[in-house]
Amino acid sequence: MEVRPVFQPGLTYRFTNRTEIQMQFPARGSREAVIEQQARFDAGVRKDGKGGIALKGVTERLKVDLKSWQESINYDSLQAEDRKSRLGQHLNQSLTQWIDIKINRENRLVSAEVGGREATTSPLKGFPRIGTDELRQIVVIALQGMPEKKVRPGERWSIQGGHRLEQGGEMTFDIICRYRGEVEFEQNRFLQIDLTGHVSGGVAIPVEGEDQPPGPRMDFHIPSLTGRILFDPLERMIRLSEQTVNMVVELPAAPGEEPMRVPVKQRSVLNLLHIVPTP
């Protein structure tokens, strides 16, 4: 069976990408974050004359819920009052920018260019932004983990490599994929791929102020990654991709002190909402 997602020219793809994060800080209690992004991708032919597909991606809606033992903060881009809040002013740029992505004949992402109105000065300097990098990641998730040839139930293959991250960071990964075969999900039949593996890397912590050098490095190690991919053979696109990771993040400490080790559990779910002709 061939399991290969394809973005088809003239069609619009809508996804939701939901990430749930739980962190347990020593002597500080737990913190939780839920981030949900609805994204739209219009597929067309590449205008540079090369084979492959061009995608234009935008964020249509963004929801963020942050909770600690002391307080909770919520943002929904569809709510006018939320857009006026300090968190809203920081996150609103995700709705004013887009990304142009090019995919080659081998179904690999070869370039990504950001356009739209640039962000203004944020009232929450140092707080991560959510936007075009997450749009790019949705396309990466939709294409990665697929076999390069036809496979039978029980067959395995591996994905190894690395990615450059924002803030001067990097990530390396080693993931084993196993084709399970046909399964039933929500009264429909899909093809399932199971995922296991581990990831490690590091990223510089953002610092306040313009044109500042990267802050201290924050390392992470993910010894346990599990997940699955559901592929729709009729639509030739993934219907669901979910991953759960348990990791330990090392936060830099003051000179002479040991780094703080914070256990983190993260669950990410990418859902295909629908595929329709591009208006």
Side-chain angles (χ1 to χ4, degrees):
M1 175 67 70
E2 184 178 29
V3 186
R4 186 174 186 267
V6 177
F7 286 97
Q8 302 181 60
L11 297 180
T12 290
Y13 298 76
R14 277 189 174 86
F15 296 91
T16 58
N17 192 26
R18 178 183 175 91
T19 301
E20 303 169 357
I21 304 172
Q22 296 178 328
M23 298 169 284
Q24 188 68 40
F25 288 87
R28 299 184 187 179
S30 63
R31 296 185 182 182
E32 299 178 4
V34 178
I35 303 167
E36 186 169 334
Q37 180 183 27
Q38 179 175 311
R40 165 180 170 167
F41 295 92
D42 295 338
V45 298
R46 290 177 57 170
K47 297 181 180 179
D48 56 8
K50 298 181 179 180
I53 295 294
L55 296 175
K56 188 179 190 68
V58 297
T59 297
E60 295 185 317
R61 184 180 186 180
L62 181 65
K63 294 181 66 178
V64 177
D65 297 318
L66 307 174
K67 183 186 298 184
S68 70
W69 66 277
Q70 291 179 316
E71 61 178 339
S72 62
I73 303 175
N74 308 102
Y75 167 81
D76 185 340
S77 63
L78 296 186
Q79 303 298 321
E81 289 301 316
D82 288 358
R83 294 196 298 269
K84 297 176 184 178
S85 68
R86 294 179 71 237
L87 180 61
Q89 293 175 48
H90 178 84
L91 296 174
N92 287 340
Q93 74 146 0
S94 65
L95 308 175
T96 62
Q97 291 188 308
W98 66 81
I99 189 167
D100 290 323
I101 293 174
K102 293 178 182 177
I103 300 171
N104 64 15
R105 292 182 185 273
E106 288 71 40
N107 226 22
R108 291 185 173 87
L109 192 153
V110 293
S111 69
E113 298 181 3
V114 175
R117 191 171 70 225
E118 293 186 4
T120 57
T121 301
S122 170
L124 295 175
K125 293 180 180 179
F127 190 87
R129 292 189 182 274
I130 302 167
T132 53
D133 193 58
E134 284 70 26
L135 289 172
R136 177 186 180 279
Q137 190 62 24
I138 288 175
V139 176
V140 170
I141 293 172
L143 299 178
Q144 74 178 5
M146 299 299 173
E148 297 182 356
K149 60 182 181 180
K150 293 183 178 181
V151 290
R152 296 179 179 179
E155 287 194 52
R156 301 171 182 261
W157 61 95
S158 63
I159 306 173
Q160 297 175 325
H163 288 311
R164 300 296 300 177
L165 304 175
E166 291 186 346
Q167 304 295 335
E170 76 281 336
M171 175 181 69
T172 60
F173 55 87
D174 186 353
I175 299 174
I176 302 298
C177 307
R178 178 180 178 272
Y179 178 54
R180 176 180 291 188
E182 191 173 277
V183 299
E184 183 174 341
F185 177 73
E186 295 182 347
Q187 300 181 341
N188 290 290
R189 305 297 293 180
F190 300 102
L191 307 179
Q192 179 165 323
I193 297 172
D194 295 329
L195 308 173
T196 57
H198 60 268
V199 182
S200 62
V203 63
I205 297 178
V207 295
E208 293 189 12
E210 301 294 332
D211 301 321
Q212 294 294 319
R217 178 183 170 94
M218 177 180 67
D219 293 316
F220 58 86
H221 178 57
I222 304 173
S224 171
L225 179 151
T226 58
R228 63 172 176 165
I229 298 171
L230 297 182
F231 177 78
D232 188 336
L234 299 179
E235 299 287 4
R236 301 176 67 191
M237 180 54 60
I238 68 165
R239 179 63 61 176
L240 173 78
S241 176
E242 59 180 351
Q243 298 178 12
T244 299
V245 299
N246 292 283
M247 59 181 165
V248 176
V249 175
E250 289 192 356
L251 300 178
E257 297 183 4
E258 292 292 326
M260 181 186 298
R261 295 173 60 85
V262 179
V264 178
K265 181 178 182 179
Q266 177 175 308
R267 180 174 181 264
S268 301
V269 180
L270 178 66
N271 268 298
L272 175 66
L273 293 180
H274 61 228
I275 304 174
V276 296
T278 302

